[in-house]
Amino acid sequence: MTKFKFPSAYTILFVLIALVAALSWIVPAGKYEMTMNEALGKEVPVAGTYKLVEGNPQGIVDVLLAPIDGLYNHDTYEAGAIDVSLFILIIGGFLGIVTKTGAIDAGIERVTDRLRGREEWMIPILMA
């Protein structure tokens, strides 16, 4: 008997994209009228103005292109979250290198040695 292996994050995300695309064929589309709320500084929906609009059911091509369109929309050529994704990749690479070399562990050990008796200072130092 094989052990159950939890699916990867990519598998879960793809299943969720496919599920939401399937629901776009079932759930009727609608929208509210919007008005500007000066106190909030943004548009807010007006209560009681919900009405059905023409749906936009998603097909297989839309499901396959969804991860790409989230980063860079192939229809409008507008960047989506690619800047955030690249930032996370760069920070992840930096942390991977620093962790692999042991620099963080050595730094924490050195600060701990110097703060003997004043360990409560470690919390703000490590948070920074």
Side-chain angles (χ1 to χ4, degrees):
M1 181 176 5
T2 60
K3 267 179 97 172
F4 173 74
K5 184 178 176 197
F6 198 75
S8 71
Y10 297 114
T11 305
I12 293 170
L13 287 173
F14 189 77
V15 168
L16 287 174
I17 290 170
L19 178 67
V20 170
L23 287 173
S24 73
W25 288 85
I26 300 168
V27 178
K31 70 186 249 184
Y32 286 94
E33 289 180 22
M34 303 295 277
T35 185
M36 186 65 173
N37 184 321
E38 299 300 328
L40 296 175
K42 64 179 182 177
E43 287 192 342
V44 295
V46 178
T49 61
Y50 181 82
K51 61 182 177 241
L52 294 176
V53 296
E54 185 177 340
N56 183 18
Q58 303 297 295
I60 293 174
V61 173
D62 297 312
V63 170
L64 295 175
L65 287 176
I68 297 165
D69 285 343
L71 298 175
Y72 184 79
N73 192 328
H74 73 282
D75 289 330
T76 62
Y77 300 110
E78 291 180 6
I82 195 159
D83 49 352
V84 175
S85 300
L86 288 175
F87 176 74
I88 290 171
L89 284 172
I90 290 168
I91 294 297
F94 166 76
L95 288 174
I97 290 170
V98 171
T99 302
K100 193 76 166 173
T101 61
I104 291 178
D105 296 333
I108 291 173
E109 186 177 338
R110 183 175 177 138
V111 171
T112 304
D113 287 342
R114 292 199 175 203
L115 290 177
R116 235 172 270 274
R118 300 182 312 265
E119 285 82 7
E120 66 272 358
W121 282 97
M122 284 295 293
I123 295 171
I125 290 171
L126 290 176
M127 288 179 71

